[in-house]
Amino acid sequence: MAAPRLRLGVNVDHIATVRNARGGALPDPVRGALLAIEAGADGITAHLREDRRHIRDEDISRLMAAISKPLNFEMAATDEMVALAAATKPHAACLVPEKRSERTTEGGLDVIGGHDHVRAATQILKGAGIRVSLFIEPSIAALEAAVSIGAPVVELHTGSWCEAVTQGASEAEHEFERIRLAARKAAELGLECHAGHGLDYETARRIAGLSQIIELNIGHFLMGEALFVGLPAAIAAMRAAMDAGRAEA
Ligand code: PXP
């Protein structure tokens, strides 16, 4: 059976990072989102952090009003964010851990220690008609907790694998194997499986070979490439890498 098409979610946070470096309104993450969709993105992801360091509240409402593809609202499972998402009603919400001091999302959500808290947030979001995904480590225990929490979707954290690949570290294959097994287990458990964090052309191509994964969320690498080749060209190259990897699935 042919593997399902792999969707590309483009994270526009770092367009806002550059905007905020100077204050003002430019570059506009909404323009980036529209351009990304025109270039083939299947959805847009934006992370409203507690400290609003990149995406701001008005970016979320402007994205909701402007884009024709689903918005994946990345958020911590705090009362403030849950209330905001429930009022805004994006297509999807991805629950992530958040620490003020981190530069980007470090590690997966603690779905075991924080089970009841994450479950309560998930129930409220689902009640508002939002598709909930949990950003988790690629581990069987985390997948089982996601089922018990009642989330229909998980996003596997690919950060450790991508970092190991970039550094040429010997654990890279072990990290990939964890992702491969987790993707298989997610499908067995009836969870829709996404993946993301730290992906570039090479790692996206490889992970596209895992047929259970149906969406990749990619931001930082694409925005870096866009500085040199432009956003449409970077997205086209990413799409080609994903399609090539998928053809081998
Ligand atoms: N998925 C999740 C849940 C994330 O937190 C991030 C980082 O914001 C990404 C995907 C995208 O990661 P990157 O910017 O490294 O491509």
Side-chain angles (χ1 to χ4, degrees), residues 11 13 74 94 96 104-105 135 155 196-199 217-220:
N11 182 314
D13 291 353
E74 238 191 82
C94 179
V96 300
T104 180
T105 315
F135 187 48
E155 180 169 327
H197 208 281
L199 293 168
N217 284 301
I218 309 179
H220 187 263

Side-chain angles (χ1 to χ4, degrees), residues 4-248:
R5 185 174 178 278
L6 182 59
R7 294 196 302 255
L8 171 61
V10 172
N11 182 314
V12 296
D13 291 353
H14 295 304
I15 301 177
T17 303
V18 176
R19 174 194 64 191
N20 298 355
R22 271 292 171 99
L26 302 176
D28 182 1
V30 176
R31 181 177 176 197
L34 293 171
L35 204 56
I37 290 169
E38 221 177 280
D42 299 292
I44 297 298
T45 295
H47 183 180
L48 186 66
R49 295 184 72 101
E50 185 195 7
D51 61 8
R52 306 322 196 246
R53 71 173 71 154
H54 36 57
I55 293 294
R56 297 177 180 145
D57 299 56
E58 62 272 22
D59 294 326
I60 296 291
S61 38
R62 290 176 59 239
L63 282 166
M64 290 275 297
I67 65 175
S68 57
K69 296 276 171 144
L71 178 69
N72 178 31
F73 179 35
E74 238 191 82
M75 52 178 274
T78 59
D79 292 348
E80 182 202 14
M81 288 300 155
V82 170
L84 227 147
T88 316
K89 299 196 192 319
H91 168 78
C94 179
L95 297 182
V96 300
E98 205 176 283
K99 287 191 231 105
R100 229 168 220 283
S101 57
E102 71 191 357
R103 275 188 289 187
T104 180
T105 315
E106 290 168 359
L109 195 61
D110 180 8
V111 280
I112 297 168
H115 179 281
D116 294 353
H117 178 72
V118 176
R119 188 167 202 282
T122 300
Q123 295 311 322
I124 296 171
L125 294 168
K126 281 171 72 177
I130 301 166
R131 189 201 67 182
V132 179
S133 80
L134 305 179
F135 187 48
I136 58 169
E137 288 298 316
S139 84
I140 306 300
L143 288 163
E144 285 167 347
V147 171
S148 145
I149 284 166
V153 184
V154 289
E155 180 169 327
L156 302 178
H157 197 315
T158 53
S160 302
W161 171 55
C162 291
E163 209 176 304
V165 170
T166 308
Q167 293 170 354
S170 56
E171 330 63 278
E173 278 315 300
H174 167 71
E175 291 294 341
F176 185 75
E177 188 59 12
R178 287 179 73 213
I179 296 168
R180 194 181 70 76
L181 293 176
R184 207 164 70 182
K185 181 73 177 178
E188 278 168 29
L189 292 170
L191 293 162
E192 182 172 313
C193 190
H194 302 176
H197 208 281
L199 293 168
D200 60 13
Y201 297 138
E202 180 192 338
T203 45
R205 180 184 170 129
R206 176 121 193 247
I207 208 162
L210 303 179
S211 60
Q212 301 90 354
I213 295 179
I214 64 151
E215 180 175 307
L216 299 181
N217 284 301
I218 309 179
H220 187 263
F221 174 79
L222 278 177
M223 296 310 155
E225 276 294 286
L227 291 175
F228 303 112
V229 302
L231 190 56
I235 289 174
M238 183 56 79
R239 186 72 255 173
M242 287 164 57
D243 291 345
R246 201 56 152 192
E248 289 158 17

